[in-house]
Amino acid sequence: MRFKRITAMFMAFLLVLGTVPVSAEEDGTSSDEKTEEEKGSYSEKHEVVYATLDPAGEQQEMYVVNNFNIEDQGTIIDHGPYNSVQNLTDLTAVEQKDERIEVTAKDEEFYYQGTLEGKPLPWDINVSYQLDGKTMHPEELVGKDGHLQIKIDTAKNENAEEIFFNNYLMQITLQLDSAIYENIDAPEGTVANSGKNRQVTFTVMPEKEGSFTLSADVTDLEMEGIEFAAIPSSMSIDAPEAGGMKNDMKSLSDATAEINRGVGELQNGIAELNDGAASLYEGSEQYKSGIQGLSNQSSELVEGSASIKKSLQQMSGSVESGSGEMNLSDFAKMEGGLRQIAEGLEETGESLTNLKNQYSKAHQALSKSIDAIPDYQISEEDIKALHESGADKEVVDRLAQTYKTSRTAKETYANTHESFNAIGPALDKSAGSLNEMSGALHTMADQVGNSLDNMDLDESMEQLQQGLQALSSNYNDFHEGLTGYTNGVDEVADSYGGLHRGVAGLTDGTTELKNGAAELHNGTSELASSTSDLPGQMETEIDQMVEEYDKSDFEPVSFVSSKNEKVGSVQFVIKTESLKKVEEEQEGQEEEEEKNFWDRFLDLFR
């Protein structure tokens, strides 16, 4: 930016010199000796800081336009380390002594300009350029075609007053000719139409560093300077109306607490299920041992019964043929064997009855535990909503897995309920059959014993023969039934192994489910606790956010000098040099040289 010179003003001053009052110095009065009537006052002062940067963001020139709202006309004092000063209001001279500026104000407003050198801006600004992925100096880009990427970074300047960085909002604006720039992309900016141009705007909040990227396809590249405007972020920020949001958060908090209560009930139900499954496993283990033992004894039982059957057949044959001597001790052994078999069957029957009672208890506990599992439905949408609520993802996943597992256990039990119900009656029936067989063997042994007590070999051989034949025939039927029964026991023993393994797997699964439910309940309890005051937490976060960006209590200070008072505002207008073709710059210079005296004079006030 080229600064306006005072040549035209000085010449105009000479033209109207006769109309200007004689200064205090000409009257022999210094500025320090001015009377109270000659001193002026102002209500407020405003500073606009203008700065130019090269296209890469390096600071070049700076000047400040000072504006005073005059209360009393007369001499006013300002301060600043200016290299030069210039009156922008009238032709009155501006006196400067070191950093003390003295001006005479005659109107309601007074303007003067001061040029600064070496005073740093509150922001470090860096602009870099790439064309087709290659970093290039800005001047090299002029007239080029390709895919352009501009990166703009702003940061706190540690060598400047931080009050401006902490309290000022900066707006960055690029004006791009639509005939040159196409496919403009600014992810963190706003792109809008501005006449034939496309205007791209970025915003940097107070106390924040900025980093922005713009990309576009460019043809015959030229670009206006990038503008940086910084003003106080002094507007008061009202907290948003959060009543509806707080109600939603309250609903979410209540829902989380309800989920926690439901998970607690689920945990209790799973614990009961696990206890029932453990009882069922113990009963199943006893039944498995009993049926396996019975199966192992079946062969001995059948062999013993076969021996009795053979002995009866031999005795019946001997009596019928009349050969050999009758050994009554054989009948006594047969009676003892029958009673041993009967007693063994009675013990087995008692074992089955005990097993049936234990199984009934375990089955009731299992049914009660399964029924305790809640029957409500949780949809995938519900689980997704819980994920989106901010709850711990791992906890929610465990909750979903526990829910699915418990549903699977409930459905599996429902499908196999009839099989579980059939086990008790089957055990009852088996025990009853064993008791009937035991009773029949006892009856048979009694008959053999009575026959031995009343037997007269000389008179009753024919009767004995008939009794033995009947006994042998009846025992043959019994032996066949016993053989069939032991075969059935063997099949039950073999098949029950698979059922017992299933019961063991159910027990392991319910134990793991119980542990998972306990861990899940701990997680949901923690989640419910952390979200119990969710509306209050949200309100606190909103207050903190508003407080962070609410700079309404900011008191402006002078950028130029800490001695300046009654500062109403300070603004920054910063602009990089444009990227233009050399020929156009020369044409612009020629046009500027062609301006006449009055055009240049009027430029001072435009």
Side-chain angles (χ1 to χ4, degrees), residues 280 282-292 294 345-363 419-435 485 489 492-493 496 499:
L280 176 63
E282 292 177 1
S284 178
E285 181 67 26
Q286 292 179 7
Y287 178 78
K288 176 176 175 290
S289 299
I291 199 70
Q292 191 64 50
L294 184 61
L345 293 179
E346 287 176 355
E347 292 178 359
T348 303
E350 292 176 357
S351 298
L352 291 180
T353 300
N354 292 334
L355 176 60
K356 182 257 181 183
N357 293 334
Q358 293 175 355
Y359 172 79
S360 296
K361 293 179 181 178
H363 185 209
S419 299
F420 282 103
N421 290 338
I423 293 177
L427 294 175
D428 264 340
K429 185 176 181 181
S430 298
S433 299
L434 291 177
N435 289 333
Y485 167 75
V489 169
V492 170
Y496 193 79
L499 177 60

Side-chain angles (χ1 to χ4, degrees), residues 371-483:
D371 292 339
I373 298 176
D375 201 28
Y376 52 74
Q377 299 290 329
I378 299 177
S379 65
E380 293 295 332
E381 289 75 13
D382 295 332
I383 296 175
K384 181 180 178 181
L386 190 57
H387 272 295
E388 294 174 350
S389 70
D392 188 292
K393 183 179 183 300
E394 185 176 353
V395 172
V396 175
D397 289 341
R398 289 176 180 171
L399 172 62
Q401 184 61 40
T402 300
Y403 167 74
K404 292 177 182 178
T405 304
S406 63
R407 294 296 303 172
T408 300
K410 195 175 182 71
E411 292 172 1
T412 301
Y413 181 76
N415 295 332
T416 58
H417 187 61
E418 293 182 1
S419 299
F420 282 103
N421 290 338
I423 293 177
L427 294 175
D428 264 340
K429 185 176 181 181
S430 298
S433 299
L434 291 177
N435 289 333
E436 290 178 3
M437 293 175 65
S438 174
L441 288 176
H442 276 299
T443 299
M444 189 178 294
D446 291 341
Q447 290 176 352
V448 172
N450 291 334
S451 299
L452 290 175
D453 292 338
N454 299 323
M455 187 176 292
D456 185 350
L457 294 178
D458 293 334
E459 297 177 358
S460 305
M461 185 62 69
E462 183 178 355
Q463 183 179 356
L464 175 61
Q465 178 183 356
Q466 293 175 355
L468 287 172
Q469 288 176 349
L471 180 61
S472 176
S473 176
N474 291 334
Y475 194 85
N476 185 59
D477 294 338
F478 168 76
H479 180 72
E480 291 179 357
L482 180 64
T483 301

Side-chain angles (χ1 to χ4, degrees), residues 205-221:
M205 300 301 293
E207 301 183 78
K208 302 296 182 182
E209 297 183 349
S211 183
F212 309 102
T213 301
L214 178 147
S215 60
D217 295 325
V218 60
T219 304
D220 196 15
L221 188 148

Side-chain angles (χ1 to χ4, degrees), residues 219-243:
T219 304
D220 196 15
L221 188 148
E222 286 187 315
M223 188 173 73
E224 298 292 338
I226 303 172
E227 298 178 359
F228 300 81
I231 59 174
S233 179
S234 56
M235 62 281 195
S236 178
I237 301 177
D238 294 328
E241 175 56 44

Side-chain angles (χ1 to χ4, degrees), residues 499-515:
L499 177 60
H500 181 69
R501 286 190 294 272
V503 172
L506 174 63
T507 304
D508 294 339
T510 56
T511 300
E512 184 177 351
L513 188 60
K514 176 184 176 183
N515 296 334

Side-chain angles (χ1 to χ4, degrees), residues 28-101:
T29 305
S30 68
S31 60
D32 292 335
E33 297 173 346
K34 292 183 184 294
T35 64
E36 290 295 328
E37 290 76 10
E38 293 177 313
K39 288 185 177 180
S41 64
Y42 59 92
S43 61
E44 203 170 45
K45 176 197 176 183
H46 304 277
E47 298 176 359
V48 181
V49 181
Y50 295 90
T52 57
L53 313 176
D54 69 13
E58 189 70 26
Q59 184 173 332
Q60 300 294 312
E61 297 177 325
M62 178 186 293
Y63 69 91
V64 180
V65 174
N66 299 278
N67 165 230
F68 299 86
N69 296 333
I70 304 302
E71 285 184 329
D72 299 314
Q73 296 182 3
T75 302
I76 57 176
I77 306 300
D78 197 38
H79 301 85
Y82 300 114
N83 291 342
S84 62
V85 292
Q86 181 178 346
N87 189 334
L88 301 179
T89 303
D90 54 36
L91 301 178
T92 305
V94 178
E95 299 180 12
Q96 179 179 9
K97 183 178 181 181
D98 296 328
E99 295 188 6
R100 177 187 171 95
I101 312 299

